[in-house]
Amino acid sequence: MDALIRRAATITAGALALTIGLALPALAHVTINPGTAEQGGWTKIAFRVPNERDKASTTKIEVTFPTDHPLPFVSVRPVPGWDVKLTQGKLPKPVVSDDGDKVTEAVLKITWSGGKIEPGQFQEFEASVGPLPKNVDQLPFPTTQTYSNGEVVKWADAAKADGSEAEHPVPTLKLVAPAAEETGGHQGAAAPSSPSAQPSVVAAVDGGHDDDDEGGSSDDTARILGAIGIVVGLAGAATGVAGLRRRS
């Protein structure tokens, strides 16, 4: 019985080690974070670079920018211990932007060098880019990783046709439609001023003013009639007194 338990434990441990071993390469890929941004907008992207080697350090990272959909504005955040260089140049062929402008030059690549990513560590290299194109759903950023032992790894493989992951997948930024267009937020903003609610309020306010005007007019008329009655009564009394005096 004990032998059976030990054998089951050994098989379980072996299967777990194999699973972890298969999962580690996927976790060690160079990726873009966050991996999604809105079309036509601006975004900050971080190129997350892990060190995959046990006896060498990563000493250089070179990120190539798309030339078929160039990004007009690119800026980088300094990374302590690393030198950064933006390479700008002519595009292989002119590109017409979403605004109809003809673009002939753009940022071609960013290179970080002079630092070290030690074994078991990773580093993020950030850039702010935009505006993003509106007519594509993804932008690839082929990346070259250089190690201290001279090894060079190119992260530039496109996704396979069968959907499986490539050996060195290219870091890719997925582009989605702006949230306002999907949720119809503008219609929700107009709800407070819906025409069905306004007339009832206006009618209530107008009706209140009419009642006040009618009540005021009735009071004024009563006061005038009362004053006239008093004047007529006084005049009648004076006439009666004058008649008695003439008779006497």
Side-chain angles (χ1 to χ4, degrees):
M1 183 67 179
D2 292 340
L4 182 61
I5 294 175
R6 287 196 298 270
R7 182 179 180 186
T10 302
I11 294 174
T12 302
L16 180 61
L18 179 60
T19 302
I20 295 175
L22 293 174
L24 285 178
L27 295 175
H29 293 340
V30 175
T31 57
I32 293 179
N33 298 277
T36 303
E38 291 186 352
Q39 295 171 332
W42 292 73
T43 189
K44 181 189 75 172
I45 53 179
F47 297 94
R48 182 174 296 173
V49 182
N51 189 353
E52 294 185 307
R53 302 295 178 259
D54 296 330
K55 298 181 180 180
S57 301
T58 296
T59 57
K60 182 180 178 181
I61 296 295
E62 185 178 271
V63 178
T64 302
F65 275 58
T67 56
D68 52 348
H69 297 283
L71 299 173
F73 299 97
V74 179
S75 60
V76 296
R77 172 176 287 182
V79 180
W82 291 79
D83 298 323
V84 59
K85 179 182 179 182
L86 276 75
T87 302
Q88 186 166 346
K90 290 187 176 181
L91 300 173
K93 61 180 181 179
V95 176
V96 178
S97 67
D98 293 334
D99 297 330
D101 298 328
K102 186 177 181 180
V103 181
T104 59
E105 293 187 1
V107 172
L108 302 180
K109 65 180 178 179
I110 302 179
T111 304
W112 287 272
S113 61
K116 285 185 178 182
I117 305 175
E118 301 288 353
Q121 299 179 356
F122 75 92
Q123 181 63 268
E124 288 189 341
F125 303 90
E126 296 179 333
S128 176
V129 299
L132 299 170
K134 301 177 181 178
N135 57 351
V136 293
D137 57 6
Q138 63 180 15
L139 290 176
F141 292 83
T143 301
T144 301
Q145 182 177 13
T146 302
Y147 287 91
S148 55
N149 60 4
E151 181 185 2
V152 176
V153 179
K154 294 183 179 295
W155 301 92
D157 296 344
K160 295 182 179 180
D162 60 2
S164 60
E165 191 173 51
E167 183 178 0
H168 297 97
V170 58
T172 303
L173 177 65
K174 295 182 179 180
L175 302 180
V176 297
E181 294 182 4
E182 295 177 354
T183 59
H186 295 296
Q187 295 178 358
S193 59
S194 60
S196 60
Q198 290 184 354
S200 61
V201 176
V202 174
V205 173
D206 291 344
H209 287 300
D210 291 344
D211 292 341
D212 293 340
D213 292 343
E214 290 176 0
S217 300
S218 299
D219 292 342
D220 293 341
T221 302
R223 292 192 186 97
I224 294 172
L225 292 177
I228 293 174
I230 293 172
V231 172
V232 171
L234 291 175
T239 303
V241 171
L244 290 174
R245 286 180 178 177
R246 286 198 296 271
R247 290 177 184 176
S248 63

